[in-house]
Amino acid sequence: RLLVVGDTILDKYVACDPVGMSNEAPVVVVKELETREFIGGASIVAAHVVSLGAECVYLSVVGDDDEANLVEKNLVESRVMTNLVRDNSRPTTNKIRYMVDNQKLFRVSRLKEHSLSREMEEMVIKKVAELAPSLQGIVVSDFVYGVITPKILRVITELSKEHGIPVFGDLQCSSQIGNVSKFEDFMLICPTEREARVAMANQDDSVEFVANLLIEKTRSQNLILKLGGEGLIAYAQDSDSDYIHRHYFPALVPNPVDVAGAGDSMLAAVAVSLTQGLSLFEAAALGSCVSAIAVQTVGNIPVAISDLKDFVSRMENVY
């Protein structure tokens, strides 16, 4: 039973047909065909957790709007136990991607990034404390839109130590400003190479050096460094010494359709795996498979455990 806490996002994909160039300005003109909506951000992590066979409680702050209602409906249908704190001051974040033949033209984000009010913050903290004794893990999915405040993060860390709950963290700052090194004493953190280099203010040294620096600074037991199309490197610290074991995993899909949900599915799969007693390398292998399935469809769709079993069987035949 995992708790997923973080920023809720509603992803909208607008399929378009190209018309041509505008005579008024040098811009491409498209005709809108249809719009599809998917839950995203931390909410899709929760849906992945359930679809992979675990129980999940989802905790987030959303707006008091139709987007929040749609997210809640989707989560309930996905069998996620949902706790959404409504905040009139911040509309539910939604990202609109305009696409032509699976190619993204551009993205429009509608959001407010201010931190939570003290009242909202205390509501989240109270719920985390209430749930903690019944949890086998906590997943922090931080998109740097204001839900994961320093105080909430501190309380989660304290509760994890008090109840012996492993914490798994992912911070995504592709278009935001964030620092993954704030995740201290976690069982696992999952930065991209860029996020790790930003956190360490180090653009020049090797990936290995930067990863080891980040592990030392955050005191993380494990680290998965995501390399995009190149795959990932998993680092596991020996419990009896300071030695760090590493293993490289290549990307399993050379031509992904939509990479937007790769990190979310990876986080969910590894968190579920580690709470079931798998080693980091076993969990990372399964995470690679789940990510490979996720990137073969447009939009964030929960990966079912049956699909994972089929994919692993195919990979065994190939390798």
Side-chain angles (χ1 to χ4, degrees), residues 6-59:
D7 301 284
T8 297
I9 299 172
L10 181 65
D11 289 319
K12 298 181 181 181
Y13 286 74
V14 182
C16 301
D17 189 30
V19 175
M21 294 295 293
S22 170
N23 292 324
E24 300 173 354
V27 295
V28 176
V29 179
V30 296
K31 179 174 66 175
E32 183 175 323
L33 299 177
E34 66 170 337
T35 299
R36 299 177 65 191
E37 296 172 318
F38 304 89
I39 57 173
S43 61
I44 189 61
V45 176
H48 279 302
V49 166
V50 172
S51 67
L52 292 170
E55 289 185 3
C56 185
V57 182
Y58 181 58
L59 177 59

Side-chain angles (χ1 to χ4, degrees), residues 250-277:
L252 299 176
V253 177
N255 299 303
V257 175
D258 183 6
V259 299
D264 304 324
S265 58
M266 164 72 69
L267 177 63
V270 175
V272 172
S273 300
L274 289 176
T275 54
Q276 291 303 298

